[in-house]
Amino acid sequence: MATLFSMNKDGLTGSLVASTAFFSRDCLLMVSDNYSKEYYISIDAHEEEQVRVTLMKKDGEKFDERVLREFINELIDFQTRLMLQKEFGEIRKKIVEYAFSPVE
Amino acid sequence: MNQYTIFPFQFARLSQNDILMVNECGDFLFLPEDIFQLFVNHTLPETSEYFCKLKSHIFCADENIEIALQKTAARYRTRKSFLREFTSLHMMVITLRCNQHCEYCQVSCADRDAHKYDMSKETAIKVIDMIFQSPTQRPKIEFQGGEPTLNWDVVTASVLYAEKIALQQNKNVSFVICTNLTGITTSQLEFCKDHNIAISTSLDGERSIHDSCRKDKSGRGTYDAFMEKLETARKIVGEDMVGALMTTTAFSLNKLKDVVDEYVRLGMDGIFIRSLNPYGFAAEQSATLGYSMESFVEKYLEVLKYIIGLNARVFFPEQFATLLFSRILSPFATGFVDLQSPSGAGISGAIYDFDGSVFPADEARMLARMGDRHFCLGNAATSSYHDIFAGRKLKEMTSGACVETTFPCAFCVYQAFCGTDPVRNYLESGSEVRNMSHSPFCIKHKGILRGLFDILRKADDMTKDIIWSWITYNPSLVRRI
């Protein structure tokens, strides 16, 4: 199972379990960074090939479960970006190289 | 799996089912979610209409990658062609003295009689010699202060000397003087007319808004004095040679429509809705003058829609939106020192302080006034052009100031239209390169660009005509009521 959402009983924190087979370390850190202004975030090892990401609002307000769903969507988008980056990285290098070469 | 090659692009979700894609040369497309998934998974049929669109905008290539590469590289080169005009904007701080004491001034103005803060003629000549060593064919010299008209002899000497050197080197020099106008004399205005010096002044809005911040040394508002001199300046120098800039403060944030109305009433040729910079007095008075960048973005987009509506009656561009729309809709480079990648600090613009010290940006000079000379590149009197503009300091600063290589900008869908500001980064975080997430700079530009794409996505023909009339500065593109 790729993800699993859970809300803490006090309603202040929410957690999700993400598979590291799908989401890389860079992806998890970069998406967490997006949320770090409003949330305290911790990432802990869960079961094999899984991590648990826990978010808590900095202002102490109740946690909205939709944030977890958005978080997962952002993980998917970011992992796509990283995969695409690998795919077209060499092409990008060539574009820049060609662009700044002397005109023949 | 289809055999097409995906070319570099960034993407973001703008709504539930719409994905905005922007490629390396700034071409953009909106794609439905399902088509996007097919595309990135290499399963989009090459016969589909969307594939043709993606291919024609060079988001992918099927067989001949080399041709697509050459096309993209040519467009990339065009977008970065501002680099060829290496340092064309040169700002000279003629004096730090000022006859006003504006609440948000970022230059720490000196008293009217503090002549030790005047640039000397000798320093001015050395600065101009340095300016003309820049490879640009079209140097623009901007006289700043303080209030530069208070050290008028140095302004005139600088203009006459620069004109002489321009003639010798066959260069096309242009001049701008940044003045609050309130103390300018008829003879000074006549000199401006005779030497084609454009006037850039400041008008924050109607009387109550303008007078909230723009005050004389005794704390009185300057609106009346400004209006009187504005009329004289327009008569002598010409309406098209007098432009005004506004600064948004907490006093005007909720009254931006009134500010626009005042500009339209005065027959200004457009407006640049500018946010407050966190320097000088503005930083000291942030509690009374400041606001969150989120609220600025909200109010900016609100007033931009109002301005677009006004353009159904009168040609009146908002200049920041014009700049960004040009980047989004045209393949050409648009010079704007504050929003470039690599950053324009030093390589597109430089500022020479009254004592000859050279800084990559006005904000860097401001930091020096606050006691931190981190960005000082040298002195026009004692350093060579090579030391300053090809020196280690500027090279290091510029190589780090590229959105293409900074997190999270490297993954941002607006990367092709945005830029970075190492001076502001340093001021806010202590480092020239920083994580831009949540920074006011990022909140502002991301928010505005998202708003502009939203306008483009929903634009009717009239709105599209208005936007193109701004980009091309051609009022006749719009059939007005």
Side-chain angles (χ1 to χ4, degrees):
Chain A
M1 189 167 183
T3 59
L4 190 70
F5 303 121
S6 65
M7 294 285 293
N8 193 310
K9 278 181 189 164
D10 60 12
L12 295 175
T13 59
S15 299
L16 60 92
V17 175
S19 164
T20 51
F22 296 152
F23 304 121
S24 67
R25 180 177 173 272
D26 282 353
C27 177
L28 283 157
L29 290 176
M30 286 172 178
V31 172
S32 298
D33 179 73
N34 269 346
Y35 286 78
S36 63
K37 188 182 177 190
E38 284 182 59
Y39 299 89
Y40 294 114
I41 302 168
S42 63
I43 305 174
D44 307 295
H46 189 54
E47 290 172 12
E48 197 179 342
E49 292 204 329
Q50 285 186 339
V51 288
R52 179 187 292 280
V53 182
T54 306
L55 294 97
M56 182 170 84
K57 278 208 88 174
K58 285 183 177 177
D59 59 14
E61 285 188 6
K62 293 266 178 194
F63 189 84
D64 185 342
E65 195 186 322
R66 277 177 303 183
V67 174
L68 297 175
R69 301 185 187 282
E70 281 161 20
F71 194 99
I72 280 292
N73 278 353
E74 286 198 31
L75 282 178
I76 294 167
D77 280 352
F78 223 100
Q79 193 59 50
T80 307
R81 287 188 184 100
L82 291 172
M83 281 158 50
L84 285 166
Q85 198 91 328
K86 266 189 197 164
E87 190 176 335
F88 54 56
E90 281 306 309
I91 296 178
R92 170 174 284 138
K93 275 186 199 161
K94 276 191 179 169
I95 291 170
V96 177
E97 190 187 315
Y98 283 17
F100 292 111
S101 301
V103 179
E104 286 168 15
Chain B
M1 188 157 172
N2 292 331
Q3 290 308 305
Y4 54 82
T5 305
I6 296 180
F7 268 50
F9 73 92
Q10 302 302 334
F11 69 92
R13 287 167 203 278
L14 284 200
S15 66
Q16 196 72 18
N17 193 33
D18 257 344
I19 297 210
L20 170 66
M21 299 167 67
V22 180
N23 69 12
E24 208 66 358
C25 40
D27 258 0
F28 71 94
L29 274 181
F30 293 108
L31 226 55
E33 164 87 39
D34 52 340
I35 303 291
F36 177 79
Q37 292 304 336
L38 290 173
F39 176 63
V40 297
N41 290 323
H42 288 266
T43 47
L44 182 64
E46 294 184 16
T47 49
S48 88
E49 186 194 334
Y50 282 112
F51 181 81
C52 296
K53 269 191 189 174
L54 285 157
K55 190 181 156 192
S56 70
H57 288 269
I58 328 180
F59 282 89
C60 63
D62 45 9
E63 287 159 2
N64 201 335
I65 295 178
E66 192 59 26
I67 289 176
L69 264 175
Q70 296 284 2
K71 275 188 198 165
T72 312
R75 299 186 66 171
Y76 191 85
R77 183 165 47 230
T78 306
R79 289 191 83 87
K80 299 287 183 191
S81 60
F82 60 83
L83 293 170
R84 266 185 254 142
E85 277 294 305
F86 192 82
T87 325
S88 49
L89 174 64
H90 299 267
M91 296 163 275
M92 291 173 69
V93 179
I94 297 299
T95 179
L96 289 185
R97 290 185 292 132
C98 191
N99 58 338
Q100 291 193 190
H101 187 94
C102 300
E103 301 284 342
Y104 49 58
C105 183
Q106 64 176 49
V107 293
S108 296
C109 58
D111 286 336
R112 236 191 127 108
D113 54 357
H115 289 275
K116 64 177 177 178
Y117 296 116
D118 285 357
M119 182 179 274
S120 68
K121 278 187 193 170
E122 295 72 30
T123 303
I125 298 300
K126 287 195 167 129
V127 166
I128 289 164
D129 283 337
M130 182 160 281
I131 291 171
F132 277 90
Q133 287 180 61
S134 171
T136 179
Q137 280 301 306
R138 294 185 293 274
K140 181 192 260 190
I141 301 177
E142 194 172 283
F143 301 111
Q144 288 200 0
E147 171 53 42
T149 57
L150 294 181
N151 190 15
W152 189 250
D153 285 351
V154 173
V155 173
T156 56
S158 302
V159 169
L160 296 174
Y161 185 66
E163 284 175 340
K164 190 177 120 190
I165 304 289
L167 201 65
Q168 286 168 4
Q169 296 189 9
N170 199 22
K171 288 192 175 184
N172 188 5
V173 64
S174 61
F175 303 102
V176 178
I177 187 161
C178 301
T179 166
N180 59 41
L181 278 182
T182 53
I184 205 161
T185 64
T186 304
S187 65
Q188 288 172 341
L189 287 167
E190 279 162 355
F191 183 85
C192 290
K193 180 178 171 52
D194 293 345
H195 295 270
N196 224 14
I197 303 172
I199 292 177
S200 175
T201 189
S202 301
L203 170 66
D204 280 355
E206 42 87 15
R207 181 195 302 276
S208 66
I209 296 174
H210 187 85
D211 285 348
S212 308
C213 290
R214 302 197 63 81
K215 297 173 179 170
D216 65 17
K217 291 282 188 197
S218 61
R220 282 187 303 252
T222 56
Y223 183 82
D224 289 333
F226 172 81
M227 281 299 155
E228 188 193 321
K229 289 294 172 65
L230 177 68
E231 200 184 328
T232 316
R234 285 169 145 187
K235 268 186 200 151
I236 296 174
V237 187
E239 286 209 6
D240 57 334
M241 291 295 278
V242 184
L245 286 170
M246 59 79 68
T247 301
T248 307
T249 63
F251 298 115
S252 55
L253 186 67
N254 293 313
K255 297 177 185 166
L256 289 176
K257 287 180 187 172
D258 296 341
V259 177
V260 170
D261 289 345
E262 176 76 351
Y263 268 65
V264 174
R265 185 183 73 78
L266 290 169
M268 294 290 181
D269 62 356
I271 193 167
F272 194 136
I273 307 284
R274 292 195 311 169
S275 57
L276 196 64
N277 276 333
Y279 303 95
F281 297 153
E284 290 166 19
Q285 302 219 45
S286 61
T288 46
L289 301 178
Y291 41 79
S292 73
M293 203 48 94
E294 286 87 348
S295 13
F296 176 78
V297 171
E298 185 195 333
K299 298 296 173 187
Y300 173 87
L301 292 172
E302 209 175 280
V303 79
L304 181 62
K305 284 174 189 161
Y306 176 70
I307 296 172
I308 290 173
L310 274 181
N311 273 260
R313 288 190 286 110
V314 56
F315 177 69
F316 187 78
E318 199 289 314
Q319 285 147 1
F320 192 51
T322 303
L323 171 95
L324 294 175
F325 277 135
S326 301
R327 290 185 180 184
I328 294 168
L329 295 170
S330 90
F332 304 112
T334 46
F336 185 60
V337 176
D338 296 350
L339 197 69
Q340 278 180 201
S341 178
S343 158
I347 64 166
S348 291
I351 187 156
Y352 305 82
D353 210 352
F354 71 95
D355 62 356
S357 299
V358 186
F359 296 95
D362 195 22
E363 292 76 8
R365 176 179 67 104
M366 187 57 228
L367 271 175
R369 292 280 296 152
M370 289 155 77
D372 186 346
R373 294 181 70 82
H374 175 81
F375 287 102
C376 183
L377 300 172
N379 190 293
T382 52
S383 318
S384 71
Y385 176 85
H386 190 273
D387 287 345
I388 289 175
F389 290 99
R392 188 177 54 86
K393 198 158 200 167
L394 188 54
K395 273 185 186 165
E396 277 179 8
M397 189 181 87
T398 306
S399 63
C402 299
V403 289
E404 291 84 350
T405 54
T406 330
F407 174 79
C409 309
F411 295 97
C412 179
V413 73
Y414 306 117
Q415 182 202 109
F417 318 115
C418 202
T420 186
D421 182 349
V423 182
R424 189 154 178 176
N425 288 347
Y426 178 83
L427 179 83
E428 289 173 353
S429 72
S431 169
E432 292 171 22
V433 183
R434 66 174 289 195
N435 178 343
M436 295 301 286
S437 302
H438 321 305
S439 69
F441 187 94
C442 180
I443 292 167
K444 175 181 169 182
H445 296 110
K446 216 174 187 173
I448 290 177
L449 281 160
R450 189 185 172 101
L452 298 190
F453 272 102
D454 196 47
I455 289 171
L456 284 177
R457 199 160 49 117
K458 296 171 183 163
D460 55 17
D461 288 347
M462 179 65 144
T463 306
K464 285 178 191 162
D465 287 347
I466 288 167
I467 291 168
W468 276 107
S469 75
W470 293 2
I471 293 173
T472 55
Y473 205 76
N474 181 358
S476 68
L477 288 184
V478 180
R479 279 190 195 165
R480 298 208 153 75
I481 305 160

